[in-house]
Amino acid sequence: MKKVTSVKAPSDTWIVVLDPMKPGGPFEVMAQQTWGLMNLTLKVHDVLFGDVWLCSGQSNMQMTVLQIFNATRELSNTAAYQSVRILSVSLAEAKEELMDLDMVDLQWSKPTKENLGNGYFTYMSAVCWLFGCYLHDTLQYPIGLISSSWGGTPIEAWSSERSLKACGVLTEGPVPYDSVSGPSENSVLWNAMIHPLQNMTLKGVVWYQGEANTQYNKDLYNCTFPALIDDWRQTFHRGSQGQTERFFPFGFVQLSSYLENADDGFPQIRWHQTADFGFVPNVKMPNTFMAVAMDLCDRDSPFGSIHPRDKQTVAYRLHLGARAVAYGEKNLTFQGPLPEKIELLADKGLLKLTYYQGIQVQRQDKKIFEISCCSDRQCEWLPAPMGNFSSQILSLAVNSCLGTVAALRYAWTTWPCEYKQCPLYHPCSALPAPPFVAFITDQAPGH
């Protein structure tokens, strides 16, 4: 194909939009500039056409393949994925929105043992890489992956001033450095590490962040996260001249577990990551998908329990969501079971949960379900032990409550279960039931 574009002087930037291409390659792209009697030519070799995904967040996204389980095997498996190309953005901050990246740690490259395993928390994201490999296995065409993440960073640093203002985040108070170790000023990473990418045509984004907000603006996360998604979508759609879809797919990892006894905000952030719905997509977060990770805990991680090493399962669960939401694959289960109906059988001392899809009860648990028991205007959370169950129904014992059963919650702790040992999973896909909290509105005895 041949394309011509004009540049309004004085300007050192230009843009040309190519015709749609079928996935594949390699191709050569040649840019030729005619200026007076001068003829300048630049050639880019080995160009592939396919889908580009941007991966961002904090340290669990930043972890490299060298840091995960079976690292040696993963690093020796790059030959099969030479059409998965990778780019890693350098760590940078800026007070204003930049039009181009200041630096890159890794320019567009073919994957190698060296650039995938370049130390700890450097170069290429393991979650991003494995997600791309799973997509490549399914789609059988080229995938481009951009890694732009920084450990210990709150969502405010990745958000534009516009989206923060929409959520009432104007100036920052004192930042608790036990959870925030990276840059925390409003918008500084958005300005330097995301905004410069706006002209690119993206298929979608995957995001792994939230730990740094468990004690910082925690109660605003149900606004700041959906606002970030919408603002990124607007920016990339506009910056790519409409080539990036206005509501492009946005996937994210729900927070894993952490060995901490204090109330550190993990359950609340998990809930706020879904805009307080407990599932996605929903009306506040359309065209999104989520990988539940609370059962991928890692007590012995040399990088601390906040950094579990099983990134393969994280990426696998993410790619299921991408296949369903981004690529429209039908009849694909990509999220664990949630109850669609909760009935109080007061005369039997039971709560009856009916799930909208099948459940596999992997083990009985006496504490993971809790009820809010209220009397004399005082409420407390009490365990609701699991009882009888069938393929879609589960009963909970609530006779310990001598007052009114007002609410129910599931897995509302920082460390809900051991590795892949939560009580409830989908029977076929091995996807864990996500945490939730729900009010009990029906108090009629026997109903």
Side-chain angles (χ1 to χ4, degrees), residues 76-219:
S76 65
N77 194 29
T78 59
Y81 296 102
Q82 291 301 290
S83 57
V84 178
R85 302 294 170 84
I86 56 179
L87 169 72
S88 186
V89 176
S90 298
L91 305 185
E93 302 175 63
K95 296 290 188 183
E96 305 290 336
E97 292 180 343
L98 302 184
M99 296 310 296
D100 201 359
L101 293 171
D102 196 35
M103 284 193 304
V104 294
D105 282 349
L106 181 69
Q107 60 185 0
W108 278 116
S109 305
K110 292 181 179 179
T112 66
K113 180 179 178 180
E114 290 72 30
N115 59 30
L116 286 175
N118 188 282
Y120 296 162
F121 303 107
T122 59
Y123 277 23
M124 194 58 204
S125 158
V127 169
C128 192
W129 163 249
L130 294 165
F131 170 76
C133 291
Y134 282 125
L135 281 187
H136 181 267
D137 289 343
T138 300
L139 302 170
Q140 292 294 302
Y141 62 67
I143 299 291
L145 301 171
I146 305 169
S147 178
S148 183
S149 51
W150 194 330
T153 50
I155 196 170
E156 290 78 7
W158 297 100
S159 305
S160 73
E161 287 186 12
R162 294 178 300 278
S163 61
L164 292 176
K165 189 175 180 181
C167 294
V169 182
L170 301 177
T171 56
E172 306 242 70
V175 179
Y177 282 96
D178 52 344
S179 63
V180 179
S181 57
S184 59
E185 287 186 63
N186 291 354
S187 308
V188 289
L189 303 184
W190 157 260
N191 292 338
M193 297 177 66
I194 301 297
H195 186 268
L197 304 170
Q198 64 171 326
N199 295 338
M200 303 189 74
T201 301
L202 300 183
K203 178 65 177 179
V205 168
V206 285
W207 171 262
Y208 195 161
Q209 190 277 334
E211 296 93 339
N213 284 98
T214 54
Q215 297 188 41
Y216 178 60
N217 285 344
K218 173 181 63 181
D219 296 334

